[in-house]
Amino acid sequence: SIALAEYLIKNRHLVRGKRLLELGSGTGLAGLVAHKLGAQVTLSDIPSVLASRTMPNLVEGVETLDLDWRYAESVYLSSYEFVIAADVIFDPELVCPFVDTLRRFSGSGKSAIIFQTVRNIDTWELFLSEASKLEASLSVTD
């Protein structure tokens, strides 16, 4: 989250004025930075994390969304122009639901930035394999 927040600060033009969704927000650090940079931000995570980690950091003007990727089909994601996520690829059982969530978001004029520390090479390779099936360009740098 810290690296993503620093990236957003250096590239504030990417998020200023955009409707932005942070997936797996946890404490919401990156999303809160994006809010300070002029984005309209929604922080999303599962209910227990929203209650214990996100809500204590919430500031006026930032919304929250109860979003479990395994059951995300009922949540309307196409209104967001930008998605960010940091360190969300760690459980192999959540990789496909995460990529499906990205698929439901993707479209013309939309962007996503995912910062990730590779903790398990097999899980990371599963993500890359699944993400390569998205009808979007995927760029990975280390």
Side-chain angles (χ1 to χ4, degrees), residues 50-65:
L50 284 176
S52 66
R53 296 187 191 139
T54 311
M55 296 305 282
N57 301 317
L58 205 57
V59 298
E60 187 175 335
V62 175
E63 299 177 355
T64 60
L65 175 63

Side-chain angles (χ1 to χ4, degrees), residues 8 11-18 20 34 37-39 82 84:
L8 294 175
N11 296 280
R12 60 187 68 216
H13 66 281
L14 294 174
V15 297
R16 185 179 294 123
K18 300 280 186 355
L20 182 142
L37 297 173
F82 212 95
I84 60 173

Side-chain angles (χ1 to χ4, degrees), residues 15-27:
V15 297
R16 185 179 294 123
K18 300 280 186 355
R19 283 196 32 86
L20 182 142
L21 175 66
E22 183 176 4
L23 295 172
S25 62
T27 63

Side-chain angles (χ1 to χ4, degrees), residues 1 6-7 10 23-24 50 56 61 65 74 76 84 86 92 99 114 119 127 129 139 142:
S1 290
E6 289 173 348
Y7 178 83
K10 291 176 184 171
L23 295 172
L50 284 176
L65 175 63
S74 63
Y76 186 67
I84 60 173
V99 172
I114 301 164
R119 290 176 169 75
F127 167 72
S129 173
S139 168
D142 46 13

Side-chain angles (χ1 to χ4, degrees), residues 60-125:
E60 187 175 335
V62 175
E63 299 177 355
T64 60
L65 175 63
D66 176 355
L67 181 60
D68 184 328
W69 307 325
R70 296 170 297 175
Y71 313 106
E73 60 277 342
S74 63
V75 179
Y76 186 67
L77 298 179
S78 62
S79 66
Y80 296 100
E81 301 166 274
F82 212 95
V83 163
I84 60 173
D87 284 327
V88 296
I89 303 160
F90 55 87
D91 182 343
E93 291 189 20
L94 293 177
V95 168
C96 288
F98 177 68
V99 172
D100 285 342
T101 301
L102 291 176
R103 182 176 292 111
R104 292 182 46 256
F105 157 76
S106 65
S108 178
K110 308 227 177 183
S111 299
I113 297 176
I114 301 164
F115 271 53
Q116 182 64 39
T117 299
V118 177
R119 290 176 169 75
N120 179 302
I121 193 67
D122 292 335
T123 303
W124 178 244
E125 288 178 355

